[in-house]
Amino acid sequence: MSRKRSSIDLGSMQSEEGMSGSGRDEAIYRNLYAAIVENHLEPGTKLPEDTLAEAFGVSRTSIRKVLQRLAYERLVDIRLNRGATVAQPTVKEARDVFAARRIVECGVLGQVVAKATPARLDALREIVRREHEAEARGDRRESIYLSGEFHVALARVSENEAIADFLAGLVSRSSLVIATYGAPMAGSCRHSEHDAVLDLIAAGDAEGARTWMERHLKDVERTVVLVEEEPTATDLRKILDDVARRHRGER
Amino acid sequence: MSRKRSSIDLGSMQSEEGMSGSGRDEAIYRNLYAAIVENHLEPGTKLPEDTLAEAFGVSRTSIRKVLQRLAYERLVDIRLNRGATVAQPTVKEARDVFAARRIVECGVLGQVVAKATPARLDALREIVRREHEAEARGDRRESIYLSGEFHVALARVSENEAIADFLAGLVSRSSLVIATYGAPMAGSCRHSEHDAVLDLIAAGDAEGARTWMERHLKDVERTVVLVEEEPTATDLRKILDDVARRHRGER
DNA sequence: ATATATTGTTTTGTGTACAAAACGAAAATA
DNA sequence: TATTTTCGTTTTGTACACAAAACAATATAT
């Protein structure tokens, strides 16, 4: 009756169009992606190929492909002969990501306003509704996730895939930034004002929507990056402390 | 004396920092990248793993990694069980890429103006100079290449890596678009006015630079995409012709 | 004659094997 | 005691092998 430890259930794949790899690879990718972006895996966590291969019940070959893809998206870091770890965005990187979001999200709003329809706006309001719901019951993870979803869904209204896909990448990196530098309750303190921008868009006020979005993104960045610096500082600090202690003749 | 056909010389690699894969993979990537972007490989060309593996003197494993990366950058197309081909951007894709470039390149100009220094502007003018030189001697390939270089180098002045890398991807895709839909002498007819934007930037006129850039990119798009439609049309046309001929009782 | 079935060949997908590099702990040295 | 060296273990990089899918060309049937 002793059976090998069962592998992770990857769920069922439905539509398989436009996918580069096999359905299974895609499923593994989604799992890892979610684990990283939803902050179940702390930045810096090592991701050994063997472990993942066993966990998902495949060979290292498939895992490698998935890790390469995540590395390209900057969600994991691969160093030569050293394997993969969950990425730890630097402060500079974090700033770049938010600056990029300002440029892209504000820039695309013209097309968004042009292509907005009542049906699409309703779909967006539905996301905001779920966002408030999650916020109300204190589900921070879901709240952050839905906030990201909103920004991406908004961009997709423009029907520009190049821009929307790029923004999706920036948003997932933002999640990593929040995980690394975020204040304990960032994102939930100031309850989301996403409804406001939808009103402006519905009114056809592209310029107003732009200034609103610029403000909103700067707010988000402020609640996050300003808590900055921690990563390598720990090691350095410990070393300096040790040196000082030894100088004082302790121990 | 019969020796196996020698493999492609990959040149020498110098600095190897910040590279995800081994130096050899990177070299292979660069070669294929250049071959595609410089239009030595026509869009739609099949890229069989075995052939590439033998050509570069490595196993399929390494080739696969490189192809995956190029697929992620949308320069090659990988279909399940069907292998890789040089990507053939659709018209919609082409429009998206140019729209994205307008958003990104105009959006980043604020930071570009803010961070511009005489030294950096000189480096940009040097690129423009070489551009004119290539143009003067009728080297269309080099001219197109340097034009792309200019746009990317300009964006890099902003020191926003996220934005600059994204733009680099858009520019390489633009090359593919030109290869697919470009008029025979697109890009060289209207000799590049890149100097003008540098003057505006040097003068600190961000708004002026933006309107100039918007205009410039719309011009470029016009010389290219408007010649549109050819890809699947060929097959369909041939079929219809055959049907018509048969109907007429010929052959 | 067109359309369908069949079969042999080519090419891709994925697992496995082995060499090289990095890591960690114990032993040697200062 | 602190540092360096060495050696065994773990983990990654790359080639290779085999199965499954696609492709191409011929044969068969309508």
Side-chain angles (χ1 to χ4, degrees):
Chain A
M1 280 301 180
S2 77
R3 197 160 37 121
K4 253 192 338 200
R5 160 80 74 110
S6 71
S7 43
I8 294 174
D9 176 32
L10 292 171
S12 58
M13 296 297 305
Q14 49 278 18
S15 80
E16 186 156 330
E17 43 187 338
M19 299 201 324
S20 44
S22 76
R24 199 175 46 178
D25 287 350
E26 183 71 15
I28 295 173
Y29 164 78
R30 274 199 223 287
N31 270 48
L32 261 184
Y33 174 90
I36 293 171
V37 164
E38 292 172 17
N39 198 16
H40 290 116
L41 292 171
E42 222 170 335
T45 307
K46 201 155 181 352
L47 301 171
E49 298 177 355
D50 274 331
T51 310
L52 295 173
E54 211 178 328
F56 287 107
V58 295
S59 79
R60 282 173 51 211
T61 310
S62 313
I63 296 298
R64 261 166 155 267
K65 189 157 67 171
V66 170
L67 288 176
Q68 288 290 140
R69 180 168 167 193
L70 289 166
Y72 194 89
E73 294 172 0
R74 308 275 197 171
L75 294 181
V76 318
D77 204 48
I78 298 183
R79 275 139 64 213
L80 188 59
N81 285 322
R82 236 155 253 213
T85 58
V86 178
Q88 289 179 303
T90 64
V91 172
K92 158 99 165 62
E93 235 178 303
R95 286 195 208 285
D96 282 1
V97 166
F98 279 105
R101 285 188 60 171
R102 278 195 296 272
I103 290 172
V104 167
E105 299 199 50
C106 294
V108 83
L109 274 175
Q111 281 301 305
V112 170
V113 168
K115 301 249 168 114
T117 65
R120 289 177 181 172
L121 288 177
D122 277 352
L124 288 167
R125 290 207 192 272
E126 170 63 14
I127 294 178
V128 176
R129 193 190 59 71
R130 290 202 288 149
E131 206 181 334
H132 285 148
E133 201 176 277
E135 222 168 81
R137 67 170 190 277
D139 188 342
R140 180 164 172 265
R141 231 195 278 278
E142 182 79 356
S143 166
I144 291 176
Y145 168 75
L146 285 170
S147 171
E149 278 300 293
F150 175 81
H151 283 264
V152 175
L154 186 62
R156 291 218 182 273
V157 172
S158 75
E159 291 184 337
N160 186 320
E161 219 187 315
I163 282 284
D165 287 352
F166 177 52
L167 179 63
L170 291 175
V171 167
S172 60
R173 288 173 76 183
S174 299
S175 296
L176 255 190
V177 169
I178 291 175
T180 312
Y181 300 104
M185 30 176 286
S188 51
C189 46
R190 188 182 286 87
H191 60 285
S192 70
E193 323 110 334
H194 287 164
D195 275 304
V197 79
L198 289 181
D199 292 339
L200 288 167
I201 290 168
D205 182 2
E207 199 42 59
R210 258 191 284 272
T211 55
W212 182 95
M213 183 62 87
E214 180 103 16
R215 227 186 119 78
H216 175 65
L217 287 173
K218 277 201 170 132
D219 277 356
V220 174
E221 181 175 0
R222 231 188 308 280
T223 71
V224 174
V225 180
L226 276 188
V227 194
E228 63 175 307
E229 291 300 358
E230 187 92 13
T232 56
T234 339
D235 290 349
L236 201 65
R237 177 69 176 281
K238 198 193 293 179
I239 292 168
L240 292 177
D241 278 350
D242 283 352
V243 171
R245 190 139 30 110
R246 221 173 294 127
H247 240 262
R248 274 188 267 108
E250 295 180 22
R251 267 222 134 275
Chain B
M1 279 304 177
S2 77
R3 196 163 35 122
K4 254 193 336 201
R5 157 85 70 111
S6 73
S7 43
I8 295 171
D9 176 32
L10 293 171
S12 58
M13 296 298 304
Q14 49 278 22
S15 80
E16 187 157 329
E17 43 187 337
M19 297 201 329
S20 45
S22 76
R24 196 173 49 176
D25 285 352
E26 183 71 13
I28 295 172
Y29 164 78
R30 276 200 223 284
N31 270 47
L32 260 184
Y33 174 91
I36 293 171
V37 164
E38 291 171 17
N39 197 17
H40 290 116
L41 292 171
E42 221 170 335
T45 306
K46 201 154 181 353
L47 301 171
E49 300 177 355
D50 274 332
T51 309
L52 295 173
E54 211 176 329
F56 287 109
V58 295
S59 80
R60 282 173 52 213
T61 311
S62 312
I63 296 297
R64 250 155 168 277
K65 188 157 68 170
V66 171
L67 288 176
Q68 288 291 140
R69 179 169 169 192
L70 289 166
Y72 195 90
E73 293 172 2
R74 309 273 198 175
L75 295 180
V76 317
D77 203 48
I78 298 183
R79 274 140 63 212
L80 187 59
N81 284 322
R82 232 153 257 214
T85 57
V86 177
Q88 288 178 303
T90 64
V91 172
K92 158 94 165 65
E93 233 178 303
R95 287 195 208 285
D96 282 0
V97 165
F98 278 105
R101 285 187 60 171
R102 279 195 297 271
I103 290 173
V104 167
E105 299 198 50
C106 294
V108 84
L109 274 175
Q111 280 301 304
V112 170
V113 168
K115 302 248 167 116
T117 65
R120 289 176 181 172
L121 288 177
D122 277 352
L124 288 167
R125 291 207 191 273
E126 170 63 12
I127 294 179
V128 176
R129 194 191 58 71
R130 290 201 288 149
E131 206 181 333
H132 285 147
E133 201 175 278
E135 221 169 83
R137 70 171 188 279
D139 189 341
R140 180 164 170 266
R141 231 194 277 281
E142 182 77 356
S143 166
I144 291 177
Y145 168 75
L146 285 170
S147 171
E149 277 300 293
F150 174 80
H151 282 265
V152 174
L154 185 61
R156 290 216 184 275
V157 172
S158 75
E159 290 183 343
N160 186 321
E161 219 188 317
I163 283 283
D165 287 352
F166 177 52
L167 180 64
L170 290 176
V171 167
S172 60
R173 288 172 76 183
S174 298
S175 296
L176 256 190
V177 169
I178 291 172
T180 312
Y181 301 104
M185 31 174 286
S188 50
C189 46
R190 185 180 288 87
H191 61 283
S192 70
E193 322 111 337
H194 286 165
D195 275 304
V197 79
L198 289 181
D199 293 338
L200 289 166
I201 290 169
D205 182 2
E207 198 44 56
R210 258 192 284 272
T211 56
W212 182 95
M213 183 62 86
E214 179 102 17
R215 227 186 121 78
H216 175 66
L217 287 173
K218 278 200 170 133
D219 278 355
V220 174
E221 182 174 1
R222 231 189 307 281
T223 69
V224 175
V225 181
L226 275 186
V227 195
E228 63 175 305
E229 292 301 356
E230 188 90 13
T232 56
T234 340
D235 290 350
L236 201 65
R237 176 67 176 280
K238 197 191 296 179
I239 290 168
L240 291 176
D241 278 350
D242 284 351
V243 171
R245 189 139 34 109
R246 223 171 294 128
H247 240 264
R248 274 187 268 108
E250 294 178 25
R251 266 227 135 271

